[in-house]
Amino acid sequence: MTTPEPVLPRIRPEIAALPPYRQGKAAGVGGFKVSSNENPFDPLPSVVEAVRGASALNRYPDATAARLREKLAERCGVTADGVIVGAGSVSLLAAFIQAAAGAGDEVVYAWRSFEAYPSLVLVAGATGVQVPLLPDGRHDLDAMAAAVTDRTRVILLCTPNNPTGPIITAAEFAAFIARVPADVLVLLDEAYAEFVTDAARVDGLAERVFEAHPNVVVLRTFSKAYGLAALRVGYAIGHPRVLDAARSTAIPLSVTAHAEEAALASLDAADELEARVAEIVARRDDLAARLREIGWRVPAAEGNFVWLDGADQAIADAFEEAGIIVRPFPEGIRISVGEPEAVQRILEVAAAVAPGR
């Protein structure tokens, strides 16, 4: 006798059809994982020591991460109410989208961009409006502005754009935001801001765009430049009343005490971390230049990764056979900047499979 299939709860059809987030696979012995935009450096000793000091595992963390908010507020020149901290900037993106958009509403974003955007919009019950990138991997801000309707509630801007790499310039952002209705929430996702060297870029914090435009929220993370990906801590700066909406939708107590301590210690070690960022940037620029010399189309790289435009799954498989785990997409392959040994092996494989070979 066969056992009948159990009756399961009803799931929203769009959620049932939604594929789960695909994390980059681990590299084998002697290989390199350059698929997840992780920082290749080990945590600083001072940061490790701070995490060890947060040992009260039987107690809940501070729900508001007040000490971290106050420190960030001091550095950014805002009040603590103008800062929200979450379990990575992606959790804050989710909170803002859920606060502003629901069934019948639209969220506009460039594509291809951060791969979590479509699922975050779908989970909120809203409709995503994808605007194709320009041929050089940049946001088509004119087309994005034209895509705004009376149903638009949120616009997502990723600069530098993940996975292609180019920035949005300050001039481009100023022209774009002038065309956006003041009641549409604009999330300026600057997860890779610390790696940018192009002086023309928009810098949401330095330029304080959230003051001139209260509908703009700037998001940053400790996962990339600060190397705290495992601890999941990010933050957003904006108008306090706008942030209050995300405080209402965010999952409570999601930032652990260990994450807060690590972030605080990282802010105190800014000089050491900036030196590491400078080294990653130098590797990135060298990698991008040499890939172009080999014959690959590589857009302007301003994050901690490079983009092989047009590379396909067969190319990704060739990298994997050589012990290099990259992140393939339908439009190309993203390669994170890793250890020097990884960079050398990437160049060897890329030369062997370059266009025209």
Side-chain angles (χ1 to χ4, degrees):
M1 175 184 283
T2 59
T3 303
E5 288 292 325
V7 177
L8 299 177
R10 296 180 183 179
I11 304 297
R12 288 165 50 194
E14 64 271 27
I15 299 299
L18 180 66
Y21 177 79
R22 181 171 61 88
Q23 185 178 17
K25 67 173 70 174
V29 176
F32 297 95
K33 178 189 175 189
V34 289
S35 57
S36 297
N37 290 348
E38 296 159 329
N39 192 312
F41 289 101
D42 291 332
L44 291 171
S46 60
V47 175
V48 173
E49 190 60 32
V51 173
R52 287 199 181 110
S55 58
L57 299 181
N58 59 314
R59 303 295 182 186
Y60 285 114
D62 175 1
T64 68
R67 289 186 301 136
L68 180 55
R69 285 172 52 233
E70 289 168 1
K71 192 160 201 168
L72 288 168
E74 181 181 353
R75 293 196 173 212
C76 297
V78 299
T79 66
D81 286 342
V83 183
I84 182 172
V85 176
S89 57
V90 68
S91 75
L92 294 173
L93 286 166
F96 281 111
I97 293 170
Q98 291 180 37
D105 299 328
E106 294 178 346
V107 178
V108 175
Y109 54 91
W111 197 249
R112 180 166 294 271
S113 193
F114 180 33
E115 60 193 295
Y117 289 164
S119 58
L120 295 178
V121 173
L122 188 148
V123 169
T127 299
V129 178
Q130 297 182 351
V131 179
L133 294 170
L134 294 167
D136 59 1
R138 295 185 301 118
H139 282 53
D140 187 343
L141 292 175
D142 284 338
M144 292 183 72
V148 174
T149 71
D150 58 2
R151 295 175 59 191
T152 305
R153 296 294 178 270
V154 182
I155 301 172
L156 305 174
L157 300 176
C158 185
T159 179
N161 187 53
N162 174 21
T164 58
I167 57 162
I168 295 171
T169 69
E172 289 170 338
F173 178 81
F176 173 77
I177 200 68
R179 298 176 59 184
V180 174
D183 60 353
V184 172
L185 176 62
V186 177
L187 300 178
L188 190 58
D189 185 355
E190 296 184 333
Y192 301 92
E194 292 85 358
F195 300 101
V196 177
T197 57
D198 189 335
R201 59 92 174 262
V202 62
D203 184 329
L205 296 186
E207 296 168 33
R208 308 180 70 82
V209 297
F210 47 85
E211 290 184 343
H213 308 283
N215 60 322
V216 176
V217 172
V218 180
L219 297 102
R220 296 283 181 96
T221 182
F222 285 90
S223 295
K224 311 301 181 185
Y226 290 91
L228 301 183
L231 290 175
R232 312 304 302 126
V233 57
Y235 62 99
I237 308 291
H239 192 288
R241 291 209 303 273
V242 177
L243 301 192
D244 284 345
R247 287 188 248 270
S248 297
T249 56
I251 296 174
L253 301 163
S254 63
V255 179
T256 68
H258 295 76
E260 184 178 16
E261 291 294 348
L264 287 165
S266 294
L267 291 173
D268 287 338
D271 290 344
E272 294 174 273
L273 290 166
E274 286 172 6
R276 290 181 167 190
V277 167
E279 188 169 341
I280 292 171
V281 166
R283 288 182 203 169
R284 176 200 71 197
D285 291 346
D286 180 65
L287 175 60
R290 294 173 70 180
L291 286 168
R292 294 183 188 113
E293 291 173 0
I294 291 169
W296 286 102
R297 295 192 307 273
V298 179
E302 291 290 340
N304 65 335
F305 53 87
V306 296
W307 175 250
L308 298 187
D309 189 34
D312 57 19
Q313 184 61 51
I315 302 297
D317 292 341
F319 277 107
E320 184 169 352
E321 288 172 7
I324 301 291
I325 307 301
V326 298
R327 179 61 69 92
F329 296 91
E331 304 87 350
I333 289 174
R334 189 191 68 198
I335 303 176
S336 308
V337 178
E339 299 83 353
E341 300 83 0
V343 171
Q344 183 56 42
R345 196 180 302 180
I346 289 165
L347 288 167
E348 292 170 0
V349 177
V353 296
R357 295 298 175 94

